Amino acid sequence: MSEQFDTFRDFYPYYLGEHSDRICRRLHFAGTGLVMLILIVALATGRNVLLWFLPLAGYGFAWIGHFFFERNRPATFRFPLYSLLADFVMFRDILTGRIPF
């Protein structure tokens, strides 16, 4: 059965369920943090070539977590925009302690 989500609020609990493995969450956290760092450095220095590393950092860490630890298919394959937003929301929730690191 294929899930459909009308709102991000409906999607986020599903997304969290796809990230129950602590190592997977940690890899997501590292990748999202690296994405933000690369973006800040690229904007601050004008080195736009660094922007090419954003997908590698973000998706690389996340997909390693899914394929080797969570052993599921990344939600980004079916819900790319909601998943991108959810990465940053989960990052915030881990940072604030709402979700265990």
Side-chain angles (χ1 to χ4, degrees):
M1 184 172 160
S2 178
E3 296 93 354
Q4 294 295 323
F5 302 100
D6 294 325
T7 66
F8 179 77
R9 181 176 291 213
D10 294 335
F11 173 77
Y12 192 57
Y14 163 79
Y15 181 85
L16 291 178
E18 296 291 301
H19 297 83
S20 60
D21 183 87
R22 180 171 252 167
I23 296 173
C24 181
R25 284 195 311 272
R26 288 176 176 173
L27 287 166
H28 269 269
F29 187 84
T32 303
L34 189 55
V35 161
M36 290 188 287
L37 180 63
I38 291 168
L39 184 60
I40 290 168
V41 170
L43 294 174
T45 64
R47 296 182 61 197
N48 294 336
V49 70
L50 294 175
L51 298 175
W52 287 100
F53 291 100
L54 292 177
L56 181 64
Y59 290 122
F61 280 85
W63 290 357
I64 289 169
H66 283 285
F67 295 134
F68 295 105
F69 298 99
E70 196 72 55
R71 298 191 188 275
N72 64 11
R73 190 169 175 226
T76 193
F77 292 162
R78 292 180 39 229
F79 308 103
L81 296 178
Y82 276 167
S83 293
L84 179 62
L85 177 58
D87 277 341
F88 289 97
V89 173
M90 187 170 70
F91 183 89
R92 179 208 60 202
D93 288 348
I94 291 171
L95 200 60
T96 60
R98 288 187 66 202
I99 296 174
F101 183 72

